[in-house]
């Protein structure tokens, strides 16, 4: 055997021994591998097109969470199939903590209540990391509608049954279920027009092709300030602290409509508890930063962190509540 061949064998033997030793050390110290999380960028999947409240919630926490975790957090929009495309992508991803979901109550609770999430169970296939915000919806109309208050709008709708239209992000979305609840409580009739994303909806709202819309404040606040749409009220019993001058729905003759919009961060079901705890703590600390809370407040969103257990309980409770409302209004999945 030549000297070069002997040298190659020795080198492979040394490398093999070192690899075996490293593998043995890794197997003996599993906690160290977990403590190193994260080692690469994380992704928050938004199952809805860019520009809406879900997208806003994801981008609100992405930068501070990435800074606290020591790795970038990237927001990725994966719309399609009434949000099912994004849900399935996250549910089927590796449960390693690197792929997360920004969940919107209209998807997680509303669509789930009508069986509109395909083969994915929002309550069983994901585990909550924490709630980002909990905000009343803003009711707006096109300026051509001769109403400046909710009672005036209801009176106008009653005088023109079936002639007004309202927008939603599809069957089971919060816009859909919430407006159907409003219709039932107020005794009015409006045509439902589903859209694929907030951007398309707002374009048609500004153009006057739809007359009524309810959504979380961030996509609408600037339109109200610019006079492109008119705000009627917020959906809460109490005034919204960030929207002075816009009355609460309780002062407009209706009370206790369960229409608050919430967004929560989720992970695939089998992500280890230790990794989930790290993500929850990074999220909690991010939302405690004054500049993050102020940024949300200026957009009309109210930061309200809730831990995993509270989010899980709320989701199951709201799925049951919306299921009853959907049945009463004969709402089914698309």
């Amino acid at each position: 055997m030549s000297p070069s061949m002997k040298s190659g064998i020795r080198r492979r033997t040394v490398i093999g021994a070192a690899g075996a030793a490293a593998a043995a050390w890794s197997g003996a110290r599993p906690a160290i591998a977990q403590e190193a999380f994260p080692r690469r960028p994380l992704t928050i999947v938004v199952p809805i097109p860019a520009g809406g409240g879900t997208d806003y919630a994801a981008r609100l926490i992405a930068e501070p969470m990435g800074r606290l975790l020591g790795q970038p957090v990237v927001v990725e929009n994966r719309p399609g199939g009434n949000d099912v495309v994004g849900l399935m992508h996250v549910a089927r991803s590796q449960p390693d903590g690197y792929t997360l979901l920004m969940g919107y109550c209209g998807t997680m609770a509303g669509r789930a209540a009508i069986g509109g999430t395909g083969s994915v169970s929002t309550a069983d296939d994901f585990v909550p990391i924490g709630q980002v915000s909990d905000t009343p919806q803003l009711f707006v109309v096109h300026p051509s509608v001769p109403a400046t208050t909710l009672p005036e709008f209801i009176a106008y709708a009653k005088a023109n049954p079936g002639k007004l239209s309202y927008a939603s992000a599809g069957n089971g979305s919060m816009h859909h279920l919430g407006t159907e609840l409003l219709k039932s409580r107020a005794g009015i009739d409006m045509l439902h027009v589903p859209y694929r994303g907030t951007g398309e909806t707002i374009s048609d709202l500004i153009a006057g092709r739809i007359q009524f819309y309810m959504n979380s404040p961030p996509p609408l606040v600037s339109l109200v300030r610019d006079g492109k749409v008119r705000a009627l009220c917020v959906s809460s019993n109490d005034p919204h602290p960030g929207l002075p001058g816009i009355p609460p729905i309780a002062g407009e003759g209706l009370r206790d409509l369960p229409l608050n919009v919430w967004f929560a961060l989720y992970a695939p079901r089998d992500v280890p508890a230790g990794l989930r705890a790290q993500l929850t703590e990074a999220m909690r600390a991010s939302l405690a930063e004054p500049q993050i809370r102020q940024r949300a407040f200026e957009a009309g969103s109210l930061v309200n962190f809730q831990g995993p257990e509270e989010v899980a309980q709320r989701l199951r409770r709201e799925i049951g509540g919306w299921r009853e409302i959907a049945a009463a209004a004969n709402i089914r999945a698309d």
Side-chain angles (χ1 to χ4, degrees):
M1 184 180 294
S2 69
S4 62
M5 290 179 64
K6 291 180 180 179
S7 173
I9 291 172
R10 285 196 301 270
R11 186 161 52 248
R12 287 193 295 272
T13 302
V14 170
I15 292 172
W25 175 257
S26 175
R29 299 291 299 275
I32 287 184
Q34 291 183 9
E35 289 169 2
F37 175 84
R39 294 188 175 185
R40 53 186 171 85
L42 293 80
T43 299
I44 298 177
V45 172
V46 174
I48 294 170
T54 314
D55 188 64
Y56 179 85
R59 295 181 192 281
L60 180 71
I61 63 170
E63 186 279 326
M65 281 192 68
R67 176 166 26 86
L68 292 169
L69 290 168
Q71 289 286 347
V73 176
V74 179
V75 176
E76 179 182 345
N77 296 88
R78 279 184 174 260
N82 284 331
D83 310 342
V84 173
V85 169
L87 293 179
M88 291 184 66
H89 175 76
V90 177
R92 294 176 177 178
S93 67
Q94 287 294 322
D96 53 13
Y98 287 96
T99 304
L100 307 171
L101 172 76
M102 182 54 68
Y104 154 59
C105 57
T107 299
M108 306 302 286
R111 290 202 198 283
I114 65 170
T117 57
S119 61
V120 179
S121 168
T122 59
D124 297 328
D125 290 332
F126 306 98
V127 287
I129 300 301
Q131 179 178 279
V132 179
S133 59
D134 184 359
T135 308
Q137 294 201 71
L138 182 59
F139 292 10
V140 299
V141 294
H142 185 264
S144 65
V145 175
T148 59
T149 67
L150 183 61
E152 289 177 357
F153 176 77
I154 291 172
Y156 181 71
K158 285 183 175 180
N160 295 275
K163 294 183 180 180
L164 300 179
S165 58
Y166 76 90
S168 85
N171 282 7
S173 64
M174 187 59 63
H175 327 103
H176 183 206
L177 292 172
T179 307
E180 288 298 319
L181 179 59
L182 172 66
K183 285 171 54 179
S184 175
R185 292 278 187 94
I188 59 177
D189 180 25
M190 291 189 290
L191 176 67
H192 173 218
V193 182
Y195 285 81
R196 290 178 294 180
T198 303
E200 293 180 359
T201 304
I202 288 176
S203 294
D204 274 9
L205 176 63
I206 292 173
R209 285 185 279 272
I210 55 173
Q211 290 77 45
F212 178 87
Y213 186 45
M214 66 167 69
N215 201 348
S216 59
L220 298 175
V221 166
S222 63
L223 301 179
V224 172
R225 290 171 179 163
D226 293 342
K228 294 180 178 179
V229 300
R230 182 184 303 126
L232 297 178
C233 66
V234 290
S235 65
S236 55
N237 289 341
D238 301 315
H240 188 305
L243 301 175
I246 300 177
I249 198 169
E252 300 293 278
L254 293 172
R255 292 188 64 86
D256 302 325
L257 270 66
L259 298 180
N260 271 27
V261 173
W262 53 267
F263 301 97
L265 189 65
Y266 288 83
R269 178 184 58 203
D270 295 326
V271 170
L275 301 188
R276 299 200 312 264
Q278 284 184 252
L279 291 166
T280 295
E281 193 50 45
M283 184 178 176
R284 185 198 310 272
S286 296
L287 292 174
E289 294 184 2
Q291 66 271 27
I292 299 301
R293 301 178 71 87
Q294 183 63 28
R295 185 185 308 164
F297 184 79
E298 290 173 355
S301 180
L302 302 179
V303 167
N304 182 11
F305 176 81
Q306 295 290 320
E309 186 59 33
E310 292 87 352
V311 175
Q313 290 176 359
R314 181 174 193 173
L315 177 62
R316 292 186 182 278
R317 183 174 66 249
E318 292 197 6
I319 288 175
W322 287 121
R323 188 173 286 138
E324 293 179 6
I325 291 169
N330 197 29
I331 297 172
R332 299 184 176 88
D334 294 325

